[in-house]
Amino acid sequence: MSHLQGASSSKPQSESNMNGISFYYGELVFGPNAQKGYLSQSAIDEIHKAVNESHAIHRNSADEIANGMKEWALDLGATHYTHWFQPLRGTTAEKHDSFFEPTGVDSGIESFSGKSLAQQEPDASSFPSGGIRNTFEARGYTAWDPSSPAFIIEKGGVRTLCIPTIFVSYTGEALDYKAPLLKTLAFVRKAATDICQYFDENVTDCSVSLGVEQEYFLVKEDLFHQRPDLMYAGRTLVGHSPAKGQQMEDHYFGAIPTNVQSFMNDFEQQAHRLGIPLRTRHNEVAPAQFECAPQFESLNLAVDHNTLLMDVMQAVAHQHGYRVLLHEKPYKGINGSGKHNNWSLVTSTGVNLLSPGNSPKQNLQFLTFFINVIKAVYDNADLLRASIATAGNDHRLGANEAPPAIMSVFIGDTLGKILEDFEQNIDSNSDHGQKSIHIPNIPEILLDNTDRNRTSPFAFTGNKFEFRAVGSSDNCASPMVVLNAIVGNQLLEFKKQVDSKLAANSGASKEDIIEEILRNELSSSKNILFGGNGYSDEWVTEALSRGLNNIKNTPEALASYLDAKSVELFTMNNIFSMKELEARTEIRYENYVLSLEIEAKILNEMVQNMIIPAGIRYQSKVSQNIAQLKQIGLGEDTYSSQLDLVKELGALINMAQKLNREMEAANESVIEIEGAKERAIQYNEQVRPYFEQLREVCDGIERLCDDTEWTLPKYRELLSVH
Ligand code: ADP
Ligand code: MG
């Protein structure tokens, strides 16, 4: 990306300051700089074309590239390589092979062929496939993605060459996140490039950019290991809010605690060596919550980098005695975490298509893309909601103390007014003497940071859209596949309309026709525009009257993947086959069930083996005290509060026991249900309600119990990272 290169090459490499990040940035990446030392110019050109023009790499070059990559990796101390891919569960998968090949009893060579680079067959029977592969024909293969450079990962002092790949079944179905992402990228790039021809014939391609802001919590590792819920479910299932919770929002942008600062510094350094362009770090709204954000990159790379970053953060945290909590809602009553996806389209001529220009002609192009994105979101709001639906994100969206799950678009007052005028064909610039032109000059300055709304799930922020409803632990590919697909499809629809009107009205001006169609699109989709407080109850009511859906849970949301409109969108544009769509949706339902099943089991154990016993221990302590007071002849007035305590604890313990048994029974009956979708629905309806009820009772016991009897670290301890 030109922007990026600008940032790092303002000084030639040789002059980069030894103390600066530029000195070691990307040193573990087989990027253009490293390639120069190991490949011929023609091989480098092949990679460049593969990255920028989706060109397939020639077989002979693949051999040369593999060999160069191997030499580079050996020089940096890596003896093994792996195809690195993103299966539909967990973050990333690797299977390590060595370069070494024995040639005799005491001799061998290191080799790596183009074939091994291009394709591998991991034994991947345990990765979820939604029924596409039966385990007995567990053959899928990974295939090299040259548009994301190979890198070297270091774990426990061992270095391994990682080659980003897609993962597909032998019958060609995608089994990972990356394969469909690459398809939608090609799709939206082509659709956007075709639209650009109306405005500038020099545009030969478009790229999609993404910048991912990552929110996370830190917790001290020793405390983490004392909380089975954090360890196995990633969130606290019990625990009452501390006295000083989020009420005092002094944490936000406050000073970063010293130990945390040194953790951040370390993981950023690791990230920079891997070519992940992290730029900002700060505290987030909640205590112990933080955020980091990179410079935006080309979308495929940004998704890989975010996935890699999550691994790096976790590994480095361990060295600092911390754990990173990537769950969307680790703590009740405290803000959750997301992953803001900043998305935009850029032409081969360097124009950001979502950046208002300074002439009416440029602004017609801007409005074309701007309005088409709004229309795409309006028409496919449920699918977009489905793309971010997970058990974890359900706690962040639509639950109490969380923003609602209503998809709406924030565009700010300035653009809101401009769109209003545009729709009614009023010339916003009439006082500038441009009476005949209805496309306004959009004052860029007003779109800057002042015009912001943090409560919107999908916000225009000056030169990009920011999809904020993405969960903090999710792979960004899932929402980006949907966003790319719906925008690409909308641009195709738009083009069809423009072309047919142009053909029917040979005398009409292209601009007039484009404006007219945009006006219609705007009128039909403006209900999704909302600038008020997205967290308010009024919005929930208003959204309902506007006909916008508020889909509160994952099982309900996921159904959108298989409705007629989505099926048409994905199959007609060759993004997913019906089989793939069904399989992937089934995996999503299964993942949901798995999360809830784990939570139910952990909660059950904690209640039975930790919380009830703590309550009983304290209850008998108090009872003993009552007996002693009685024995020395004191009257009931001296121990009446102890009696109340014993009774209150007794009632809570009984309730905890009763609810726990009921949850266990519900879990056992639901797990038997045939069909992942139905099982997910029933988990949500029959098992999940016990989580809240049990939590309330357990938190009641926690409040009454003596601290010395309470073995679980409390919120106030968990939230302190100093
Ligand atoms: P804020 O917290 O105010 O939203 P940040 O600086 O934390 O701002 O994050 C903004 C993100 O948006 C960064 O990753 C940035 O690189 C990215 N971004 C900026 N311009 C674009 C663009 N044209 N396309 C995609 N992402 C962009
Ligand atoms: Mg942001």
Side-chain angles (χ1 to χ4, degrees):
M1 195 129 295
S2 57
H3 204 112
L4 254 183
Q5 282 159 3
S8 60
S9 65
S10 53
K11 248 180 179 185
Q13 194 73 20
S14 57
E15 277 178 42
S16 60
N17 189 310
M18 276 182 67
N19 299 317
I21 293 168
S22 57
F23 189 68
Y24 54 83
Y25 184 76
E27 69 178 16
L28 297 175
V29 181
F30 194 58
N33 271 329
Q35 286 163 16
K36 276 186 216 141
Y38 295 88
L39 301 177
S40 68
Q41 191 54 46
S42 72
I44 295 176
D45 291 346
E46 287 261 313
I47 297 181
H48 184 81
K49 275 198 275 177
V51 176
N52 297 298
E53 296 156 30
S54 319
H55 159 93
I57 288 181
H58 195 269
R59 228 204 160 103
N60 297 343
S61 303
D63 276 331
E64 187 195 331
I65 294 166
N67 194 53
M69 212 184 258
K70 176 203 73 185
E71 289 300 320
W72 172 76
L74 288 168
D75 283 348
L76 286 174
T79 52
H80 286 62
Y81 68 93
T82 178
H83 274 198
W84 180 85
F85 60 102
Q86 300 165 40
L88 295 171
R89 188 175 296 145
T91 48
T92 55
E94 312 158 6
K95 178 193 162 229
H96 299 187
D97 284 300
S98 73
F99 296 121
F100 174 74
E101 251 177 49
T103 51
V105 286
D106 61 353
S107 59
I109 52 162
E110 332 289 333
S111 86
F112 189 42
S113 67
K115 198 165 157 275
S116 310
L117 165 67
Q119 194 166 315
Q120 290 281 312
E121 263 182 62
D123 171 27
S125 49
S126 58
F127 295 114
S129 65
I132 285 175
R133 286 171 306 130
N134 294 324
T135 22
F136 50 84
E137 42 134 326
R139 295 204 309 168
Y141 64 93
T142 51
W144 179 33
D145 166 22
S147 67
S148 184
F151 55 91
I152 286 177
I153 199 96
E154 188 178 310
K155 267 183 202 160
V158 179
R159 289 184 161 195
T160 309
L161 171 68
C162 297
I163 298 152
T165 57
I166 58 167
F167 178 39
V168 288
S169 75
Y170 248 71
T171 38
E173 285 90 6
L175 296 171
D176 70 344
Y177 285 110
K178 191 194 263 282
L181 186 68
L182 294 179
K183 281 190 185 172
T184 61
L185 276 171
F187 173 60
V188 72
R189 282 168 72 167
K190 167 88 171 64
T193 309
D194 288 349
I195 298 292
C196 286
Q197 301 309 306
Y198 293 136
F199 306 100
D200 181 357
E201 286 174 1
N202 295 321
V203 174
T204 53
D205 192 6
C206 288
S207 64
V208 191
S209 56
L210 175 68
V212 185
E213 299 161 64
Q214 175 73 54
E215 294 174 331
Y216 61 95
F217 279 84
L218 281 181
V219 64
K220 289 183 184 156
E221 201 163 31
D222 53 336
L223 300 179
F224 170 85
H225 286 297
Q226 294 170 52
R227 296 277 319 204
D229 46 359
L230 282 183
M231 283 177 74
Y232 298 106
R235 72 179 183 107
T236 57
L237 297 168
V238 296
H240 84 89
S241 311
K244 184 180 187 247
Q246 208 171 305
Q247 299 92 319
M248 310 169 81
E249 294 194 350
D250 53 359
H251 182 74
Y252 196 54
F253 286 133
I256 298 170
T258 322
N259 297 341
V260 173
Q261 177 97 37
S262 94
F263 153 71
M264 286 178 171
N265 215 61
D266 263 13
F267 88 71
E268 283 170 12
Q269 214 174 76
Q270 285 300 330
H272 287 144
R273 296 167 77 210
L274 287 161
I276 303 174
L278 286 180
R279 296 283 302 269
T280 60
R281 49 163 101 130
H282 60 79
N283 286 346
E284 257 305 320
V285 186
Q289 192 188 25
F290 306 92
E291 181 189 299
C292 60
Q295 166 87 45
F296 68 89
E297 300 174 276
S298 128
L299 194 146
N300 176 35
L301 201 52
V303 172
D304 282 358
H305 278 163
N306 178 258
T307 315
L308 188 56
L309 178 68
M310 292 194 284
D311 284 347
V312 170
M313 284 168 80
Q314 204 60 275
V316 175
H318 177 63
Q319 293 159 7
H320 287 259
Y322 287 125
R323 267 297 164 140
V324 178
L325 300 178
L326 288 168
H327 194 283
E328 286 71 20
K329 188 86 177 172
Y331 302 106
K332 186 187 154 119
I334 288 170
N335 260 39
S337 304
K339 197 172 316 236
H340 298 178
N341 282 209
N342 295 270
W343 179 95
S344 184
L345 292 161
V346 186
T347 66
S348 54
T349 53
V351 175
N352 178 346
L353 292 166
L354 290 173
S355 198
N358 40 30
S359 74
K361 185 169 169 235
Q362 283 170 342
N363 281 330
L364 182 57
Q365 175 170 289
F366 161 71
L367 284 179
T368 299
F369 284 92
F370 186 62
I371 293 173
N372 275 305
V373 174
I374 294 172
K375 175 91 161 74
V377 173
Y378 176 77
D379 283 345
N380 301 279
D382 291 354
L383 184 60
L384 212 50
R385 165 72 182 91
S387 76
I388 47 143
T390 58
N393 221 6
D394 277 3
H395 296 282
R396 193 171 147 254
L397 306 171
N400 47 353
E401 49 161 273
I406 305 160
M407 290 297 124
S408 63
V409 180
F410 171 81
I411 59 169
D413 289 343
T414 314
L415 270 174
K417 178 80 179 79
I418 286 166
L419 283 198
E420 227 169 80
D421 289 351
F422 174 71
E423 190 197 349
Q424 289 162 30
N425 211 350
I426 297 170
D427 188 348
S428 306
N429 297 316
S430 51
D431 46 324
H432 302 310
Q434 292 174 306
K435 293 196 181 61
S436 59
I437 300 163
H438 303 295
I439 296 300
N441 274 316
I442 299 170
E444 215 169 334
I445 188 80
L446 289 176
L447 300 174
D448 212 13
N449 285 358
T450 46
D451 209 4
R452 288 229 161 181
N453 177 324
R454 295 209 161 256
T455 67
S456 175
F458 199 93
F460 182 72
T461 45
N463 58 1
K464 63 199 184 280
F465 277 100
E466 182 172 343
F467 191 16
R468 301 199 184 113
V470 181
S472 48
S473 66
D474 221 351
N475 186 307
C476 297
S478 160
M480 291 302 100
V481 158
V482 168
L483 187 58
N484 292 341
I486 64 177
V487 171
N489 192 55
Q490 175 56 39
L491 293 174
L492 285 187
E493 291 296 318
F494 175 77
K495 185 167 190 312
K496 260 188 233 158
Q497 288 188 57
V498 174
D499 289 349
S500 84
K501 282 230 158 124
L502 274 175
N505 307 280
S506 48
S509 100
K510 184 171 65 185
E511 283 76 16
D512 285 345
I513 286 175
I514 290 176
E515 277 189 45
E516 187 194 326
I517 297 169
L518 287 177
R519 262 182 209 110
N520 287 338
E521 286 187 347
L522 184 59
S523 305
S524 67
S525 57
K526 67 181 176 190
N527 261 355
I528 198 136
L529 300 179
F530 177 65
N533 178 4
Y535 291 10
S536 68
D537 293 338
E538 294 78 54
W539 170 230
V540 175
T541 320
E542 189 186 329
L544 191 70
S545 73
R546 289 192 193 187
L548 302 178
N549 285 336
N550 184 3
I551 301 173
K552 291 194 175 141
N553 60 65
T554 296
E556 201 185 321
L558 291 180
S560 306
Y561 270 107
L562 294 171
D563 68 22
K565 199 162 71 181
S566 308
V567 169
E568 186 179 325
L569 166 76
F570 288 125
T571 57
M572 298 303 278
N573 296 311
N574 293 320
I575 295 162
F576 290 124
S577 67
M578 192 63 203
K579 194 170 162 191
E580 282 175 308
L581 254 188
E582 281 172 345
R584 297 174 81 90
T585 312
E586 186 178 311
I587 294 170
R588 298 279 295 266
Y589 281 119
E590 279 171 358
N591 287 348
Y592 177 82
V593 166
L594 201 65
S595 297
L596 265 67
E597 193 192 334
I598 291 172
E599 291 190 351
K601 287 190 170 149
I602 295 296
L603 182 58
N604 182 273
E605 269 181 43
M606 289 174 77
V607 171
Q608 206 62 45
N609 307 133
M610 298 173 117
I611 293 161
I612 292 180
I616 293 176
R617 278 197 304 275
Y618 184 49
Q619 197 188 34
S620 41
K621 232 188 199 174
V622 180
S623 309
Q624 274 169 27
N625 170 260
I626 295 171
Q628 287 161 352
L629 294 174
K630 246 185 184 166
Q631 215 173 17
I632 58 171
L634 292 176
E636 201 182 314
D637 56 326
T638 52
Y639 50 79
S640 65
S641 53
Q642 283 92 319
L643 278 177
D644 288 346
L645 204 52
V646 169
K647 283 186 216 157
E648 218 179 312
L649 272 168
L652 288 169
I653 291 168
N654 286 341
M655 186 53 93
Q657 182 79 358
K658 175 177 168 285
L659 289 171
N660 209 25
R661 289 269 174 276
E662 286 176 19
M663 180 177 74
E664 219 177 311
N667 192 46
E668 271 163 25
S669 80
V670 169
I671 199 75
E672 297 297 324
I673 294 173
E674 289 277 327
K677 179 181 181 183
E678 192 51 29
R679 203 157 54 242
I681 292 172
Q682 293 309 321
Y683 252 105
N684 177 55
E685 286 179 6
Q686 294 190 42
V687 181
R688 208 174 62 120
Y690 284 108
F691 295 174
E692 262 318 292
Q693 293 175 37
L694 266 167
R695 165 170 224 144
E696 209 171 294
V697 177
C698 294
D699 293 357
I701 301 177
E702 182 187 335
R703 256 187 225 104
L704 294 180
C705 254
D706 179 348
D707 261 0
T708 57
E709 297 298 347
W710 196 257
T711 51
L712 285 168
K714 297 192 169 195
Y715 266 32
R716 63 158 187 268
E717 300 163 86
L718 296 172
L719 290 166
S720 161
V721 286
H722 290 267

